[in-house]
Amino acid sequence: EVGVEMNVDDVYPVMEQWMKDGLGKSHFTACSDSDTYFKIKSKLDMMETMMKEIEIREKKRMAERLEEKAEAAIRKAERDAE
């Protein structure tokens, strides 16, 4: 189906039928390629999640540094005012 998120369990029967009935070819190579695709896609999804986590950590660190700078600037302004 077009526009439907496919997973490993849904792909095999569709691919087997399409390759055998539609093209008259063996479905083993296509299923092997599908396995490779889903393994790589899984790794890419994990890497994307990891990159988002790293980005969130970096933003938190940057916010902490800015907060420290703001506190230091407030303390300096208070000292200068005295």
Side-chain angles (χ1 to χ4, degrees):
E1 293 178 40
V2 175
V4 175
E5 184 71 27
M6 299 296 270
N7 62 35
V8 177
D9 297 327
D10 296 336
V11 168
Y12 285 125
V14 174
M15 191 174 302
E16 186 175 352
Q17 180 184 2
W18 181 65
M19 291 298 289
K20 263 205 266 182
D21 300 340
L23 298 175
K25 303 277 183 184
S26 171
H27 66 282
F28 295 115
T29 302
C31 287
S32 173
D33 291 347
S34 178
D35 281 342
T36 302
Y37 166 78
F38 282 110
K39 286 177 188 174
I40 291 172
K41 185 178 183 307
S42 173
K43 287 180 183 180
L44 287 173
D45 290 343
M46 286 190 301
M47 190 165 55
E48 182 179 9
T49 301
M50 184 179 70
M51 293 302 291
K52 285 180 182 177
E53 290 172 358
I54 291 170
E55 186 177 342
I56 289 168
R57 262 187 271 139
E58 285 300 315
K59 285 183 179 181
K60 284 181 181 178
R61 285 185 193 141
M62 189 184 325
E64 288 172 0
R65 287 193 295 265
L66 287 172
E67 191 175 327
E68 289 170 3
K69 284 183 181 180
E71 289 172 1
I74 290 170
R75 286 193 300 271
K76 184 179 183 298
E78 288 173 349
R79 280 193 309 263
D80 292 346
E82 294 174 359

